[in-house]
């Protein structure tokens, strides 16, 4: 079942002026409930404009956005608030959105703004804090005293506190070291697998797409040029070459070995599979 669907979705900036530009052009897209989807494309392809329409931050110039089958822009104004509960948007560098005096107040801001009482919001904060790997000792601290990775965890906790059904993540590991990026991705996998959140990940990191995503959607020039499951997508990397996006290391190694005379299947997507295939081919030539 599609939890999020677009029909002919189009968005234009500066309509009616000399600077008019179509950023999203008649996009038809379905995100199934419970999927972990990678959304990729070169800089300026329209990815960020597209995802900002999913929770009503931007209103389409034309077309529809359906959340659980309901056109979000056909809702009453009061009901539109609920859309932002159901679709949580985590911007690139979300820590820049922190503004409260304490971590507790920052995480509680969303729930309180959407109607939770003080006691309810406090309980919500304590419920989500362990999900992002922080203890309650952080609650009284200023978010501006924390490290970059800790700030990002606080910002994401603020989104999780609203308990969205869909998490839309715009380059959530940008600027993090490898360990921090891995921990962040493992958090999102946990949200997907254990807490049944649908996850839409905007990223340039093909390692993350290969290792964590179920499906891949490619945005090019404001439209969708490809939508496949991960295994099929990485069998043929011609699209990545066209977009000048670096494939995952295992795919690059597979391609280089084939250029050097090996005959390795495009189905090989893990180091273990690749090592066995190489060993088998070498042994057959002994």
């Amino acid at each position: 079942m599609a939890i999020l669907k677009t029909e002919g979705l189009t968005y234009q900036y500066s309509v009616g002026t000399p600077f008019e530009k179509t950023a999203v052009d008649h996009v038809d897209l379905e995100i199934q409930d419970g999927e972990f989807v990678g959304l990729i494309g070169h800089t300026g392809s329209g990815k960020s404009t597209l995802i900002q329409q999913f929770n009503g931050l931007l209103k389409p110039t034309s077309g529809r956005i359906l959340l659980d089958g309901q056109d979000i822009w056909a809702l009453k104004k009061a009901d539109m608030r609920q859309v932002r509960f159901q679709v949580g948007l985590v911007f690139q560098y979300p820590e820049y959105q922190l503004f409260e005096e304490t971590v507790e107040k920052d995480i509680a801001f969303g729930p309180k703004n959407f109607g939770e009482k003080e006691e309810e919001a406090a309980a919500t904060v304590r419920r989500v804090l362990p999900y992002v790997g922080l203890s309650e000792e952080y609650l009284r601290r200023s978010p501006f005293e924390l490290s970059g990775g800790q700030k990002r965890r606080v910002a994401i906790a603020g989104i999780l506190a609203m308990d969205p059904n869909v998490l839309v993540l715009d380059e959530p590991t940008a600027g993090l070291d490898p360990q921090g990026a891995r921990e962040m991705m493992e958090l999102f996998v946990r949200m997907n697998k254990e807490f049944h959140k649908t996850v839409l990940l905007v990223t340039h990191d093909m390692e993350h797409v290969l290792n964590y995503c179920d499906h891949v959607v490619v945005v090019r020039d404001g439209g969708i040029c490809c939508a496949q499951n991960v295994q099929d997508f990485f069998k043929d990397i011609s699209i990545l070459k066209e977009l000048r996006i670096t494939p995952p290391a295992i795919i690059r190694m597979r391609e280089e070995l084939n250029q050097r005379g090996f005959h390795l299947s495009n189905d090989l997507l893990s180091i273990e599979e690749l090592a066995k295939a190489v060993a088998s081919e070498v042994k057959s030539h002994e």
Side-chain angles (χ1 to χ4, degrees):
M1 174 184 174
I3 190 170
L4 194 62
K5 182 178 180 180
T6 69
E7 296 177 344
L9 190 67
T10 299
Y11 187 86
Q12 295 174 302
Y13 288 102
S14 304
V15 176
T17 76
F19 304 102
E20 180 175 312
K21 177 184 178 182
T22 301
V24 174
D25 192 6
H26 292 87
V27 167
D28 295 319
L29 176 65
E30 289 191 17
I31 305 297
Q32 303 300 316
D33 189 21
E35 282 187 328
F36 199 125
V37 179
L39 187 68
I40 71 171
H42 59 75
T43 300
S45 62
K47 303 186 301 299
S48 293
T49 301
L50 176 61
I51 64 172
Q52 287 180 57
Q53 295 175 83
F54 290 161
N55 75 342
L57 281 182
L58 294 178
K59 186 175 182 179
T61 306
S62 62
R64 301 199 304 164
I65 305 162
L66 306 177
L67 182 63
D68 281 331
Q70 174 67 58
D71 183 348
I72 68 172
W73 286 101
L75 296 170
K76 296 179 181 178
K77 187 174 181 179
D79 294 331
M80 271 293 291
R81 291 166 60 88
Q82 295 301 316
V83 171
R84 295 193 176 98
F85 258 126
Q86 295 179 56
V87 181
L89 178 56
V90 179
F91 288 100
Q92 188 175 6
Y93 302 112
E95 59 270 25
Y96 292 168
Q97 298 167 235
L98 301 176
F99 62 92
E100 286 281 10
E101 296 175 354
T102 67
V103 166
E104 182 172 21
K105 288 182 178 180
D106 228 306
I107 298 174
F109 178 82
K112 289 171 68 176
N113 193 44
F114 284 105
E116 285 193 8
K117 296 180 180 178
E118 194 78 36
E119 301 79 13
E120 294 172 326
T124 297
V125 170
R126 284 164 173 76
R127 175 173 56 81
V128 302
L129 205 61
Y131 297 165
V132 296
L134 296 176
S135 65
E136 292 188 12
E137 69 181 43
Y138 286 90
L139 292 179
R140 300 299 178 188
R141 296 177 61 179
S142 166
F144 305 108
E145 296 174 352
L146 305 180
S147 68
Q150 290 168 339
K151 287 179 181 178
R152 188 163 303 189
R153 290 172 185 270
V154 170
I156 291 171
I159 300 295
L160 297 179
M162 294 186 285
D163 196 25
N165 294 325
V166 181
L167 276 175
V168 182
L169 313 166
D170 192 358
E171 296 283 1
T173 62
L176 296 180
D177 59 44
Q179 181 177 343
R182 183 173 61 252
E183 291 174 352
M184 196 62 63
M185 290 305 303
E186 289 172 353
L187 164 65
F188 300 136
V189 169
R190 187 183 179 205
M191 293 296 101
N192 176 245
K193 303 302 182 186
E194 294 185 30
F195 300 98
H196 312 294
K197 307 296 184 186
T198 301
V199 178
L200 182 57
L201 172 71
V202 178
T203 184
H204 286 96
D205 192 325
M206 294 303 101
E207 304 290 348
H208 289 166
V209 174
L210 176 61
N211 293 323
Y212 300 109
C213 295
D214 305 314
H215 288 79
V216 185
V217 174
V218 182
V219 180
R220 180 165 56 187
D221 299 327
I224 305 298
C225 69
C226 176
Q228 292 180 297
N229 66 51
V230 165
Q231 289 74 24
D232 289 339
F233 179 75
F234 284 113
K235 287 179 182 178
D236 180 3
I237 60 172
S238 58
I239 291 180
L240 292 180
K241 290 179 179 178
E242 288 176 21
L243 298 177
R244 298 182 180 178
I245 296 176
T246 303
I250 186 67
I251 307 300
R252 300 199 306 272
M253 184 179 294
R254 184 189 72 195
E255 295 295 302
E256 185 169 340
L257 287 170
N258 280 337
Q259 290 173 11
R260 293 174 179 269
F262 282 81
H263 299 86
L264 303 171
S265 169
N266 286 348
D267 292 330
L268 301 174
L269 298 177
S270 73
I271 190 65
E272 292 81 11
E273 294 173 339
L274 184 63
K276 288 180 181 179
V278 169
S280 177
E281 192 162 331
V282 169
K283 187 175 182 180
S284 70
H285 286 83
E286 289 179 350

